[in-house]
Amino acid sequence: MNTDAATTRAWTQSAYGGPEVLEQHAIDRPTPGRGEVLVRVRATALNSADVKLLRGKPGVLRLGFGLRRPRNPVRGMDVAGTIVAVGEGVDASHVGDEVVGEISGGGGGLATYAVTRFDRVVPRPRETDAVTAAAVPLAGGTAWQALHVAGAGAGSRVLVIGASGGVGTYTVQLAARAGAEVWALCGERNRALVERLGATRTFDYRTDGPESLPEGSFDAVIDIAGEAPLRVVQGLAREGGCIVMVGGEGEGPFGPIGRMLHALLRSIGGRRRFRPFTARATASVTSTLLEMVARGELEPVIERTFTFDEARDALAHVDAGHTVGKVVVRVED
């Protein structure tokens, strides 16, 4: 597909639906506004949030992102790339900087050029390539914030439910590095990986699910899968313990929100508290995590890298579920 200086290649959706609604087009190249930068995208990491916005599910999301179709038709929130132009209020000396961060506005990374707020990106360490760096912001930041909310630190015992996905692989590593004893639920084929990342004990969620674990054994439970009965998850925490709800499934227009509200009701007057939260990538946390990656202290687990022309297949892979670590699209002009 040929493009000129005024356009950019992008994967766009004109309606909500599965990966089949995505089409590659030449669209107008975005122009950075005040406080924004134009980034030549090198790599884009995909998240479950991209699939939710692709499908417009749960339906409540459409209130913020478009009722009939997404206002921003390009998916992809996490990017690594090169600043090629700046808007008003951003020093022109940053042109040429290699940066990493979350795109503001719900997406835009599955394109050769994207605009984002300057305060959403941070410098990419020279020791870290673009594909690896793109896998850090949202998943790594979610894990960091979940552990902070849980108060998980040295000497605590942490259970990670859904430990082999993008958020889970970071959660296991960060908890272990903080000095926690990490137990983890994942698929049988991923147990060796999760143990290598720092888990002391691992369990196959198909045969040894949360119901089989000892009650009252954990200072913190990080529930990423969001499928186990709430009474079971709550019972795993010790008195005074915390259950952090990172994600979850759910039918109907409100999706997992109903489960989260039910969890809050169960917390009233109890000593085992549910803590639902919504994470977002922050520049300071992204910078800290990238420094850890550059020093070899944190490993972004990347299951598969796709080319830009394979971006539809990349989203289909994430949409199918059971991704191990992250999926990244390498963008080439």
Side-chain angles (χ1 to χ4, degrees), residues 37-283:
V37 293
L38 176 66
V39 175
R40 165 65 174 92
V41 181
R42 305 295 180 188
T44 299
L46 299 177
N47 299 281
S48 61
D50 293 307
V51 171
K52 288 180 171 64
L53 288 174
L54 175 70
R55 290 188 172 275
K57 294 182 178 180
V60 69
L61 285 176
R62 303 189 185 195
L63 296 177
F65 293 94
L67 293 177
R68 293 178 175 272
R69 63 183 65 85
R71 296 189 189 95
N72 183 343
V74 183
R75 303 278 59 81
M77 300 178 182
D78 288 347
V79 300
T82 310
I83 294 177
V84 294
V86 301
E88 184 182 355
V90 180
D91 196 312
S93 65
H94 289 291
V95 171
D97 287 358
E98 297 293 331
V99 295
V100 185
E102 180 192 19
I103 293 183
S104 49
L110 288 180
T112 49
Y113 291 86
V115 159
T116 189
R117 290 191 55 80
F118 180 61
D119 58 13
R120 291 284 189 94
V121 297
V122 299
R124 171 165 64 88
R126 292 184 179 180
E127 302 89 342
T128 307
D129 63 75
V131 168
T132 302
V136 170
L138 188 53
T142 299
W144 177 286
Q145 293 168 65
L147 290 169
H148 176 75
V149 169
S156 61
R157 179 182 288 174
V158 178
L159 173 65
V160 182
I161 304 176
S164 59
V167 175
T169 51
Y170 282 115
T171 304
V172 169
Q173 293 181 78
L174 291 170
R177 284 197 59 81
E181 177 188 342
V182 182
W183 292 28
L185 279 167
C186 59
E188 178 64 30
R189 69 187 178 100
N190 300 320
R191 290 178 66 180
L193 166 67
V194 174
E195 289 169 3
R196 180 175 65 78
L197 296 177
T200 302
R201 298 186 64 179
T202 60
F203 303 87
D204 178 4
Y205 71 89
R206 293 183 181 87
T207 58
D208 299 302
E211 297 88 346
S212 68
L213 299 179
E215 293 187 4
S217 296
F218 302 96
D219 300 288
V221 178
I222 311 298
D223 185 8
I224 302 166
E227 297 176 345
L230 292 176
R231 60 172 179 78
V232 173
V233 178
Q234 189 175 31
L236 294 172
R238 292 174 175 156
E239 288 283 331
C242 178
I243 306 101
V244 178
M245 304 176 70
V246 175
E249 303 301 325
E251 299 299 326
F254 294 99
I257 295 176
R259 184 174 186 266
M260 292 182 176
L261 291 175
H262 187 194
L264 289 175
L265 290 175
R266 291 185 66 92
S267 292
I268 296 175
R271 300 258 315 143
R272 299 176 175 92
R273 303 291 300 274
F274 283 97
R275 295 288 301 275
F277 89 115
T278 301
R280 61 178 295 270
T282 63

